[in-house]
């Protein structure tokens, strides 16, 4: 690990201002950043600790929604009675991620900003456009079993690894931020994570130094919540494919449905037109198959990850059937 200096920020605006210093980086739970520093993939010269800013509460909003502080730990968020009752998909997605010990440290803000798990991003002997713009992408012709099948570019085929972000996408969460000048901004989660395009090293719409202060959830929507994650091990493994679904149905008919997907793309994947087409449709295999067609429009495998296309179809159907079962 390279040497770095350290400071503890006093307020969110001070943290954002300190994060603008050359080579500075915010540190929350440190469960991703410290691993990247040990491998010298990230080499910050200065760490700004945001653990004592008081951003660790979950507040009920007057509209019935929730405001989740950026420093709320993944374990605390998953266990919150309001989250378990009204946003069960979020609680389930969180509990499907990492391990108990990691969730005790990992934070809401840090989880949204965790980096990809692409093997070549972690291997500094291999070319990676995300690590070093213009270097090339070792995954394209390499072992790309965990990689993306939609929204890819010829620069990068990495996926976003977060389970929590997939649930937040289906819930239409909004990210609240503060900049170094104290300006505040609200970013819909749909616009927060980027596709790789020709700048895979730019992963979100955050500006330099901009800090996440909280995430808000709109009032709960009707329907049964399901989070289904397919992975290589039952714990401590990232999603090959995951589905976050909220389906409101009765008597075999769908009133409304929302679905977001992990393991498919550089960002949580959602195709709202497919959800609109489900409203009023029968809750049956033909409907799930049409939804999968829309979700997978333009999908392509890169060899080792070809299996994700049929896997997504099966996982979507299984999650949807679970969501409409009595
Ligand atoms: C073995 C292992 C298995 C895992 N499995 C899973 C899994 O199955 N599913 C899953 O979703 N995750 C998994 N994770 C990832 C884990 O969830 C993340 O490491 C964690 O959520 C990151 O949160 P943190 O607070 O520790 O972030 P940190 O490591 O502190 O920070 C991560 C990044 O976010 C930035 N940052 C942090 N907070 C803010 C803020 N408020 N504003 C602006 N920038 C900020 C930091 O500068 C840094 O760049 C796993 C991790 C490990 C090590
Ligand atoms: S897929 Fe993206 S992260 Fe992985 S090697 Fe290619 S450029 Fe790097």
């Amino acid at each position: 690990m390279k040497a770095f200096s350290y400071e503890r920020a006093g307020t969110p605006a001070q943290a954002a201002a300190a994060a603008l210093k050359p080579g500075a980086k915010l540190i929350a739970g440190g469960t991703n950043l410290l691993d990247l520093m040990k491998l010298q993939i990230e080499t910050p010269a200065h760490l700004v600790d945001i653990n004592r800013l008081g951003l660790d509460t979950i507040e009920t909003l007057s509209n019935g929604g929730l405001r989740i502080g950026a420093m709320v730990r993944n374990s605390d968020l998953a266990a919150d009675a309001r989250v378990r009752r009204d946003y069960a998909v979020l609680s389930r997605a969180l509990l499907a991620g990492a391990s108990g010990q990691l969730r005790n440290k990992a934070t809401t803000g840090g989880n949204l900003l965790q980096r990809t798990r692409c093997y070549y991003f972690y291997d500094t002997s291999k070319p990676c456009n995300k690590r070093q713009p213009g270097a090339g992408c070792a995954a394209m012709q390499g072992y790309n079993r965990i990689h993306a099948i939609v929204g890819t570019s010829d620069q990068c085929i990495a996926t976003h690894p977060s389970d929590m972000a997939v649930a937040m996408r289906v819930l239409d969460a909004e990210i609240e931020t503060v900049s170094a000048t104290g300006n505040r901004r609200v970013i819909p989660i749909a616009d927060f994570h980027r596709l790789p395009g020709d700048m895979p090293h730019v992963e979100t719409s955050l500006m330099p130094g901009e800090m996440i202060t909280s995430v808000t959830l709109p009032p709960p929507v009707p329907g049964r919540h399901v989070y289904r994650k397919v992975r290589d091990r039952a714990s401590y493994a990232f999603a090959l494919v995951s589905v976050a679904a909220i389906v409101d149905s009765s008597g075999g008919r769908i009133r409304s449905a929302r679905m977001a997907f992990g393991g498919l793309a550089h960002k949580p994947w959602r195709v709202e037109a497919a959800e609109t087409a489900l409203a009023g449709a029968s809750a049956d295999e033909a409907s799930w198959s049409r939804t999968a067609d829309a979700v997978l429009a333009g999908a392509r495998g890169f060899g080792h990850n070809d299996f994700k296309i049929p896997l997504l179809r099966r996982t979507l159907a299984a999650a949807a059937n679970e969501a409409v079962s009595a």
Side-chain angles (χ1 to χ4, degrees), residues 150 261 269 271 274 285-299 309 312-313 316:
V150 285
F261 305 90
W269 195 249
V271 179
E285 295 304 322
S287 293
W288 313 143
S289 180
R290 281 193 301 276
T291 307
D293 289 343
V295 169
L296 290 168
I309 294 177
L312 180 278
R313 302 187 80 87
L316 187 158

Side-chain angles (χ1 to χ4, degrees), residues 17 20 29 37 64 68 95 97 126 155 160 220 223 239 258 263 293 300:
L20 261 186
M37 288 170 65
I68 304 158
L95 292 175
K126 297 289 189 304
Q155 301 278 308
H160 194 274
R258 297 175 176 211
D293 289 343
R300 66 166 284 211

Side-chain angles (χ1 to χ4, degrees), residues 47-114:
L47 285 185
V48 183
D49 186 337
I50 57 173
N51 278 273
R52 299 208 188 158
L53 299 181
L55 299 172
D56 55 357
T57 58
I58 305 173
E59 179 193 343
T60 302
L61 299 174
S62 55
N63 68 359
L66 285 186
R67 171 172 288 116
I68 304 158
M71 295 303 299
V72 172
R73 308 288 162 177
N74 287 178
S75 298
D76 294 334
L77 185 55
D80 185 271
R82 293 159 293 183
V83 173
R84 292 178 57 186
R85 185 187 63 224
D86 298 331
Y87 305 97
V89 68
L90 177 58
S91 184
R92 288 176 193 156
L94 283 159
L95 292 175
S99 66
Q101 284 161 317
L102 283 160
R103 292 193 296 268
N104 287 344
K105 281 303 281 180
T107 63
T108 305
N111 192 309
L112 286 170
L113 290 168
Q114 62 177 293

Side-chain angles (χ1 to χ4, degrees), residues 205-230:
S205 55
L206 285 183
M207 306 299 285
E210 193 172 3
M211 179 185 144
I212 299 173
T213 50
S214 51
V215 174
T216 58
L217 302 181
V221 293
R224 188 155 179 193
H225 291 219
V226 170
Y227 189 75
R228 185 171 278 245
K229 174 175 176 178
V230 181

Side-chain angles (χ1 to χ4, degrees), residues 25-26 28-33 98 107 111 113 163 212 229 237-238:
K25 195 97 198 159
L26 300 176
T31 60
N32 189 214
L33 182 59
T107 63
N111 192 309
L113 290 168
D163 291 293
I212 299 173
K229 174 175 176 178
F238 291 88

Side-chain angles (χ1 to χ4, degrees), residues 116 118 120-121 127-130 136-139 147 155-158 200:
T116 184
C118 170
Y120 304 103
F121 176 70
C128 171
N129 286 322
K130 189 182 278 299
C137 171
H147 289 74
Q155 301 278 308
C156 179
I157 58 172

